[in-house]
């Protein structure tokens, strides 16, 4: 039986209220502003969709055409890479934007209510599929499509089971499937132990309303003892909470391990600034975070994850499979990424062979 994923939690609602107050506006004024901004974005998408759809239909007049709505929860490197890989995966399967594919794209800017508006709009336009990037967007798309025949393909969802999108055996909870970016926690802990042989405590910041972050922290705590670590975690509600939480946690730990938590990733530069002041390293969870100033990471390739998702989506669009019949997939393996400039600034020496074993070595910090 289908059931609604709890996309709008009380924590998210309180988080939104907190952010509104921090911006110096009343909750009502800010909510109205957010709603108007979301509606304006929707209108722009509808106009663009009309123009793009006409061009696509003309380009593929003799064949099947498709329209996909891509709902991305936040703007940061790993999710951007997912989108890039998703379109690559579709193209490799013969479904290409501007040829036989119209793409509608919206970014919720880390706002759960906006994610719901976006997916509702896609449903009203009768898209052939919604691609939801990150857990909150996936949950919103799932809810929007419950009483429709529109399939949802998600990506960058760390815990589809915990998010209510799949059963324990991996089978879909409806017409929805996709790929999970489950972090290789054991590999990350092993790397941290090798790089910091004397470290005892690892700090983790997370958003209390993100199911994927909560489940990942549980995994960290389950495995930490095997590597001689204690996990110190601090929850936040909004982006505005990051600075205070980061300033506090750096006084309690030997290092920080950053998740793929959407809100915390948006505030990564704030976390890095506080950690640098305290002279402790921050380990990332994927390549973009290492580019942007984290010391190292054992992470997955998000372009590859998106490509894997695109291949699944193509099967559904072509009628080769139903989303409801496809178990979600994981991106297997972990890649080592290191940043030598960060190591030099923190006076840390990587173990012998790290540079040779790394998938990529960065000798500078790139802040987008």
């Amino acid at each position: 039986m289908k059931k609604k994923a709890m996309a709008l939690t009380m924590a998210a609602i309180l988080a939104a209220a907190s952010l509104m107050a921090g911006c110096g506006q009343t909750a009502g004024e800010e909510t109205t502003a957010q709603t108007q901004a979301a509606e304006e974005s929707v209108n722009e998408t509808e106009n663009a969709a009309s123009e793009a759809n006409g061009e696509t239909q003309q380009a593929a007049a003799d064949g099947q055409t498709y329209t996909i709505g891509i709902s991305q929860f936040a703007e940061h490197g790993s999710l951007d890479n997912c989108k890039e890989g998703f379109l690559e995966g579709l193209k490799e399967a013969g479904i290409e934007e501007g040829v036989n594919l119209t793409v509608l794209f919206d970014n919720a800017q880390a706002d759960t209510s906006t994610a719901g508006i976006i997916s509702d709009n896609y449903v009203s336009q009768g898209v052939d599929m919604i691609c939801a990037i990150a857990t909150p967007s996936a949950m919103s798309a799932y809810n929007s499509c419950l009483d429709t025949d529109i399939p949802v393909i998600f990506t960058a969802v760390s815990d589809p089971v915990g998010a209510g999108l799949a059963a324990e055996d991996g089978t879909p909870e409806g017409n929805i499937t996709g790929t999970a970016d489950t972090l290789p926690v054991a590999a990350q802990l092993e790397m941290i132990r090798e790089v910091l042989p004397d470290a005892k405590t690892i700090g983790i910041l997370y958003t209390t309303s993100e199911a994927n972050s909560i489940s990942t922290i549980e995994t960290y705590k389950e495995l930490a003892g095997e590597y001689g670590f204690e996990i110190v975690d601090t929850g936040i509600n909004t982006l505005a909470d990051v600075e205070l939480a980061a300033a506090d946690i750096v006084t309690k730990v030997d290092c920080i391990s950053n998740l793929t938590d959407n809100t915390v990733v948006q505030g990564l530069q704030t976390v890095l600034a506080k950690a640098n002041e305290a002279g402790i390293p921050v380990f990332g969870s994927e390549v973009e975070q290492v580019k942007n100033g984290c010391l190292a990471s054992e992470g997955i390739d998000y372009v590859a994850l998106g490509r894997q998702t695109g291949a699944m989506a193509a099967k559904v669009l072509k009628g080769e499979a139903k989303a409801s019949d496809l178990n979600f997939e994981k991106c297997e393996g972990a890649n080592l990424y290191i940043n030598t400039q960060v190591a030099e600034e923190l006076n840390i020496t990587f173990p012998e062979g790290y540079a040779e074993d790394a998938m990529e070595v960065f000798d500078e910090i790139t802040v987008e």
Side-chain angles (χ1 to χ4, degrees):
M1 179 181 295
K2 294 181 181 179
K3 54 187 179 182
K4 249 196 173 184
M6 297 300 293
L8 290 174
T9 63
M10 181 61 68
I13 295 171
L14 291 174
S18 174
L19 181 59
M20 294 165 195
C23 292
Q25 292 176 288
T26 66
E29 290 172 340
E30 181 67 14
T31 301
T32 301
Q34 288 182 336
T35 302
Q36 289 176 342
E39 290 175 348
E40 289 173 2
S41 176
V42 164
N43 290 334
E44 291 175 1
T45 300
E46 289 175 343
N47 293 335
S50 178
E51 296 175 3
N53 191 48
E55 294 173 357
T56 300
Q57 288 183 350
Q58 183 176 1
D62 298 328
Q64 178 67 51
T65 62
Y66 309 95
T67 299
I68 297 179
I70 300 179
S71 175
Q72 183 172 316
F73 185 63
E75 188 173 353
H76 59 75
S78 58
L79 302 189
D80 294 341
N81 287 348
C82 275
K83 179 194 173 190
E84 175 188 340
F86 178 71
L87 294 175
E88 287 180 6
L90 286 171
K91 185 177 179 179
E92 290 167 1
I95 301 175
E96 182 177 358
E97 185 177 9
V99 177
N100 57 353
L101 171 65
T102 296
V103 174
L104 315 182
F105 175 73
D106 290 278
N107 193 307
Q109 300 299 331
D111 183 77
T112 304
S113 60
T114 301
I117 293 172
I118 290 169
S119 54
D120 284 345
N121 176 54
Y122 290 159
V123 170
S124 70
Q125 293 192 67
V127 297
D128 297 305
M129 173 182 287
I130 294 178
C131 171
I133 304 177
T135 303
S137 286
M139 296 168 73
S140 294
Y142 173 77
N143 289 337
S144 296
C145 294
L146 275 177
D147 298 321
T148 76
D149 295 325
I150 299 173
V152 177
I153 304 293
F154 60 76
T155 187
V157 174
S158 297
D159 185 7
V161 176
L165 306 176
E168 289 288 347
D169 61 358
T171 56
E173 290 283 6
N175 198 21
I176 182 169
T177 189
T179 57
D181 62 340
T182 306
L183 296 182
V185 175
Q188 181 86 342
L189 288 169
E190 181 178 356
M191 175 198 64
I192 295 173
R193 173 52 68 210
E194 292 173 350
V195 175
L196 301 178
D198 299 323
K200 297 179 180 179
T201 53
I202 299 174
I204 300 177
L205 297 176
Y206 73 101
T207 306
T208 56
S209 59
E210 285 209 25
N212 58 312
S213 297
I214 294 171
S215 63
T216 302
I217 288 176
E218 290 175 355
T219 303
Y220 263 95
K221 290 182 176 180
E222 289 172 5
L223 298 177
E226 298 178 19
Y227 300 90
F229 290 119
E230 176 189 352
I231 302 300
V232 178
D233 60 278
T234 297
I236 63 168
N237 293 320
T238 72
L239 185 61
D241 299 332
V242 171
E243 184 171 8
L244 185 60
D248 177 63
I249 202 168
V250 297
T251 66
K252 302 175 180 178
V253 299
D254 298 313
C255 66
I256 291 174
S257 188
N258 203 54
L259 308 182
T260 51
D261 184 291
N262 293 290
T263 304
V264 177
V265 171
Q266 283 198 309
L268 179 58
Q269 291 307 312
T270 299
V271 177
L272 288 169
K274 296 301 181 182
N276 289 338
E277 289 175 7
I280 67 171
V282 178
F283 293 89
S285 53
E286 46 85 29
V287 61
E288 298 297 330
Q289 294 176 23
V290 179
K291 285 182 183 178
N292 294 338
C294 288
L295 176 63
S297 169
E298 279 282 357
I300 64 175
D301 183 337
Y302 275 85
V303 174
L305 182 71
R307 191 179 296 114
Q308 184 177 349
T309 314
M312 295 180 73
K315 290 180 182 179
V316 174
L317 288 171
K318 292 179 177 181
E320 299 171 1
K322 294 182 179 180
S324 57
D325 294 333
L326 294 175
N327 285 20
F328 73 86
E329 299 178 1
K330 295 181 180 180
C331 190
E332 301 297 336
N335 298 318
L336 174 63
Y337 304 97
I338 66 174
N339 192 310
T340 56
Q341 180 181 339
V342 176
E344 182 178 349
E345 291 180 355
L346 293 173
N347 197 28
I348 292 174
T349 301
F350 285 115
E352 185 177 353
Y354 255 51
E356 291 77 11
D357 294 339
M359 176 66 68
E360 288 190 71
V361 177
F362 303 97
D363 58 7
E364 62 180 1
I365 299 172
T366 304
V367 180
E368 297 179 353

